[in-house]
Amino acid sequence: LQYLSTPPPLCHRTLVTMPRTQSKPDPEKQLMIKTKACQRLAKEAVYYKKEARENEARIAQMKADGTTDGIKQAEGVLSETMQMIPHSEANLRKNLAELNDLVKRLGGGDGDGIDADNEWMVAANSVLTEHGMAVGQKDGADDAEGGDEPATSVDGLAEGEAF
């Protein structure tokens, strides 16, 4: 039992970690990240809509040409794209609301403030304005139902038909 009392060999190093101190996040960096995220999500939403239009046109052309090869696959791709449109729009609305809250907080002069002429504050306000949200405006995503998912319309369903 002598080997239990001997220290480990010098070739084994132990990793010593220092405890992390909670530093206050850089407000300008937060604003930059949120603004870029909203810009990316806006492009994504536009892309899905464009892709859906292109796929619809391609399917219509295939049907007009009488081509049956690949129509099922193209319809599957179109279906997946159509499912992504509401998802991407919901993500965009959620991130725009978060950006709006951040702009209100940082522009409020509570110590974290960023100048109104800061490049990221200008970009954030531009993104919000581009999507029809004035700073401080509620998006409507926080209504009484509380869900981020869009409502499903059942108007065109027959009795007993699943959606």
Side-chain angles (χ1 to χ4, degrees), residues 25 40 51-52 68 103 107 112 114 143 146-147 155:
R40 178 184 50 82
E51 183 180 358
T68 57
V103 167
D112 286 344
I114 292 180
D143 53 10
D155 295 337

Side-chain angles (χ1 to χ4, degrees), residues 81-161:
T81 302
M82 295 301 279
Q83 290 174 359
M84 289 305 296
I85 291 173
H87 177 72
S88 65
E89 288 175 341
N91 279 342
L92 176 60
R93 281 191 307 273
K94 177 181 167 234
N95 278 277
L96 283 170
E98 290 173 4
L99 177 63
N100 191 21
D101 292 343
L102 183 62
V103 167
K104 282 192 305 187
R105 185 170 52 85
L106 296 177
D110 60 354
D112 286 344
I114 292 180
D115 293 335
D117 58 347
N118 177 287
E119 68 174 310
W120 291 111
M121 187 62 84
V122 170
N125 284 320
S126 173
V127 168
L128 290 171
T129 304
E130 189 176 306
H131 294 284
M133 288 184 70
V135 177
Q137 174 184 338
K138 280 286 188 186
D139 177 37
D142 300 329
D143 53 10
E145 294 178 22
D148 287 342
E149 297 298 320
T152 303
S153 174
V154 292
D155 295 337
L157 295 178
E159 182 67 33
E161 184 179 5

Side-chain angles (χ1 to χ4, degrees), residues 21-116:
T21 58
Q22 289 295 333
S23 62
K24 198 170 191 181
D26 180 22
E28 186 173 357
K29 186 172 182 179
Q30 286 180 318
L31 188 61
M32 176 194 71
I33 291 169
K34 233 359 139 178
T35 301
K36 286 184 176 185
C38 288
Q39 290 170 338
R40 178 184 50 82
L41 289 168
K43 285 180 185 178
E44 182 179 285
V46 168
Y47 172 77
Y48 280 125
K49 290 175 185 176
K50 178 183 173 190
E51 183 180 358
R53 285 192 306 270
E54 290 172 355
N55 285 335
E56 287 171 342
R58 193 171 92 224
I59 290 171
Q61 184 63 40
M62 291 170 85
K63 287 180 179 179
D65 292 344
T67 306
T68 57
D69 295 338
I71 286 184
K72 291 279 188 200
Q73 183 180 6
E75 287 174 341
V77 169
L78 176 61
S79 174
E80 289 176 14
T81 302
M82 295 301 279
Q83 290 174 359
M84 289 305 296
I85 291 173
H87 177 72
S88 65
E89 288 175 341
N91 279 342
L92 176 60
R93 281 191 307 273
K94 177 181 167 234
N95 278 277
L96 283 170
E98 290 173 4
L99 177 63
N100 191 21
D101 292 343
L102 183 62
V103 167
K104 282 192 305 187
R105 185 170 52 85
L106 296 177
D110 60 354
D112 286 344
I114 292 180
D115 293 335

Side-chain angles (χ1 to χ4, degrees), residues 1-20:
L1 294 180
Q2 182 182 12
Y3 64 90
L4 291 178
S5 62
T6 59
L10 293 176
C11 63
H12 294 283
R13 296 181 187 213
T14 57
L15 180 62
V16 178
T17 57
M18 298 295 291
R20 289 189 177 199

